Amino acid sequence: MRATPSPSLSEPPLSEPPHLADMLMYRLYQAWSQSNPVFVRMCEGRFGITRREWRILACAVEGGIMNSAELAAAAKLDLARTSRTLGALCEKGWLRRLHDSADRRVVRVEATPEGIARYQALLPEVSRLNDLLVQDLSDSEVVLLRDFLARIEQRGRRMAEDNIVTEKASRRDGGTRRARYA
């Protein structure tokens, strides 16, 4: 059994070093990875839409007409992924690009009637799966979980903004920078 964490960060821990299974980020990932296949099967198998497409479509329907940068921010995706996903959704006829008559470089995006219909068909199913996912929690626990996750998201955002880890991953080198040892 592990000892209670020490109240001060400057004091050495009294317990054994943590294991991977003790890490909150790992547990969050495991919770996501165990439930994700159900959502993927429903979205792709039943509705012909990827998770990322669903996210962009939902943001476009819920947020109204916006440009790609605004849509990327709403979906919390980078611009390149958003652009590729927008292209796929436009090809499917669920979103359309609107060009500004004064400046053709300005492009805004809106959901088509077909896209809105797809969203309206999928939303209750996604909501039902979310309800099933937390069915073992009480209503007050779900409220607490949402609050805890919001605080973790905020802390993660601050950690990224504060650049607490300065090293950058090199995707060309297998997703990691290999430390050089003397």
Side-chain angles (χ1 to χ4, degrees), residues 123-180:
L123 184 63
E125 296 299 317
V126 170
S127 180
R128 183 180 66 82
L129 288 180
N130 274 277
D131 290 345
L132 285 172
L133 186 62
V134 297
Q135 75 179 5
D136 297 328
L137 303 176
S138 69
D139 291 344
S140 60
E141 288 171 327
V142 171
V143 169
L144 281 173
L145 178 60
R146 289 179 194 275
D147 178 59
F148 294 155
L149 290 172
R151 287 194 262 169
I152 290 168
E153 287 174 35
Q154 289 171 354
R155 172 62 64 186
R157 192 169 23 263
R158 284 195 306 268
M159 289 168 62
E161 289 167 359
D162 292 346
N163 202 28
I164 65 166
V165 176
T166 57
E167 296 82 7
K168 303 287 185 201
S170 174
R171 300 293 178 215
R172 286 185 226 124
D173 293 333
T176 183
R177 287 190 186 230
R178 290 166 178 66
R180 297 180 198 249

Side-chain angles (χ1 to χ4, degrees), residues 52-66 70-77 82 89 95 109-111 119:
R52 185 173 293 138
E53 288 171 347
W54 161 245
R55 197 155 119 194
I56 294 288
L57 178 63
C59 289
V61 170
E62 293 172 2
I65 298 172
M66 60 183 92
E70 293 165 335
L71 192 53
K76 294 181 176 47
L77 288 172
T82 301
L89 288 168
L95 292 182
V109 178
E110 76 173 341
Y119 167 83

Side-chain angles (χ1 to χ4, degrees), residues 5-136:
S6 114
S8 169
L9 291 176
S10 61
E11 296 175 23
L14 301 175
S15 63
E16 63 186 62
H19 298 278
L20 180 61
D22 298 326
M23 304 288 172
L24 184 58
M25 288 300 299
Y26 178 75
R27 298 301 302 271
L28 288 170
Y29 172 75
Q30 288 301 315
W32 175 83
S33 69
Q34 295 304 311
S35 58
N36 185 52
V38 175
F39 285 85
V40 169
R41 284 194 306 269
M42 185 198 57
C43 287
E44 293 182 11
R46 191 179 307 167
F47 291 95
I49 189 169
T50 68
R51 286 175 307 123
R52 185 173 293 138
E53 288 171 347
W54 161 245
R55 197 155 119 194
I56 294 288
L57 178 63
C59 289
V61 170
E62 293 172 2
I65 298 172
M66 60 183 92
N67 66 35
S68 349
E70 293 165 335
L71 192 53
K76 294 181 176 47
L77 288 172
D78 62 69
L79 281 171
R81 286 184 176 151
T82 301
S83 179
R84 284 191 297 272
T85 305
L86 281 175
L89 288 168
C90 287
E91 284 179 27
K92 290 179 177 183
W94 299 338
L95 292 182
R96 74 173 143 241
R97 290 182 173 101
L98 307 170
H99 294 277
D100 188 301
S101 58
D103 186 350
R104 299 285 297 164
R105 295 172 297 174
V106 176
V107 177
R108 300 183 72 67
V109 178
E110 76 173 341
T112 64
E114 294 83 6
I116 294 169
R118 181 66 45 141
Y119 167 83
Q120 290 172 337
L122 188 51
L123 184 63
E125 296 299 317
V126 170
S127 180
R128 183 180 66 82
L129 288 180
N130 274 277
D131 290 345
L132 285 172
L133 186 62
V134 297
Q135 75 179 5
D136 297 328

